[in-house]
């Protein structure tokens, strides 16, 4: 009888492990270690980009997408008609110009404009650890203002 209880005690934890399911479809986890693998490539891409920035699309789902962004210079003014942006600042600091009016923006894709300038708007200093949400149809631009680089994780929420 003791052997029976011994084997039961040993088997129960193993049954729990066997019963674990795989992660549900659409689940993603990005660890700081997994994101670091992009560092060297993004530095190289930014060095050859005319705007000195690099972007890595990590996932694209019907209602949202995730990307990693590395900037070594000011960003262009942007405006997204149907997407909200959520920035998770990883390192560096920048000034975010948000709001106001996008003047002379160029359509670069469906529901998206870039370039031009922002008239009005507010200036928000953002740095590592900050999280910012920019609603759809709100002009925004990142200015490095002397910082050497700025790194952030972006969730784009689609469908507004």
């Amino acid at each position: 009888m003791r052997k029976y209880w011994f084997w039961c005690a040993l088997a129960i934890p193993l049954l729990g492990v066997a019963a674990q399911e795989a992660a549900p479809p659409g689940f993603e986890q990005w660890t700081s270690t997994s994101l670091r693998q992009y560092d060297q490539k993004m530095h190289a891409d930014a060095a050859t980009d005319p705007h000195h920035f690099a972007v890595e699309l990590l996932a694209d789902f019907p209602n949202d997408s995730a990307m990693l962004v590395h900037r070594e210079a000011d960003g262009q003014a942007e405006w997204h008609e149907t997407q909200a942006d959520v920035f998770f600042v990883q390192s560096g600091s920048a000034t975010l110009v948000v709001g106001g009016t996008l003047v002379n923006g160029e359509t670069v894709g469906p529901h998206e404009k870039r370039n031009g300038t922002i008239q009005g708007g507010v200036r928000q200093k953002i740095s590592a650890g900050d999280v910012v949400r920019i609603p759809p149809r709100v002009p925004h631009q990142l200015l490095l203002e002397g910082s050497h680089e700025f790194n952030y994780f972006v969730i784009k929420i689609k469908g507004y």
Side-chain angles (χ1 to χ4, degrees):
M1 188 65 151
R2 280 186 169 175
K3 281 185 178 180
Y4 172 78
W5 290 113
F6 171 78
W7 288 111
C8 284
L10 187 62
I12 288 173
L14 294 176
L15 290 174
V17 170
Q20 288 181 352
E21 295 181 24
F27 173 81
E28 293 287 341
Q29 179 180 7
W30 297 280
T31 64
S32 58
T33 302
S34 71
L35 294 175
R36 263 194 301 275
Q37 73 178 338
Y38 297 102
D39 286 353
Q40 189 173 8
K41 180 183 183 306
M42 294 185 82
H43 277 86
D45 289 351
T48 61
D49 182 81
H51 300 288
H52 301 286
F53 94 111
V55 98
E56 226 18 83
L57 180 64
L58 302 173
D60 192 16
F61 300 107
N63 297 315
D64 59 82
S65 61
M67 56 188 68
L68 198 56
V69 182
H70 170 80
R71 291 192 178 277
E72 296 179 359
D74 293 345
Q76 301 168 294
E78 300 181 25
W79 178 90
H80 317 290
E81 183 178 22
T82 60
Q83 298 179 351
D85 283 344
V86 180
F87 295 174
F88 298 85
V89 182
Q90 295 184 301
S91 66
S93 64
T95 297
L96 174 65
V97 180
V98 63
T101 304
L102 179 62
V103 177
N104 296 324
E106 301 169 4
T107 301
V108 295
H111 312 287
E112 184 161 344
K113 294 182 180 185
R114 289 187 191 259
N115 301 316
T117 58
I118 296 176
Q119 286 186 345
V122 297
R123 297 169 70 86
Q124 299 288 133
K125 190 75 169 174
I126 58 176
S127 57
D130 290 350
V131 178
V132 175
R133 180 185 183 274
I134 303 166
R137 296 176 290 285
V138 173
H140 53 283
Q141 182 178 18
L142 284 166
L143 305 173
L144 269 54
E145 297 183 326
S147 293
H148 297 300
E149 64 180 51
F150 185 70
N151 297 289
Y152 54 109
F153 186 96
V154 180
I155 299 290
K156 287 199 168 281
I157 304 165
K158 305 172 186 177
Y160 283 89

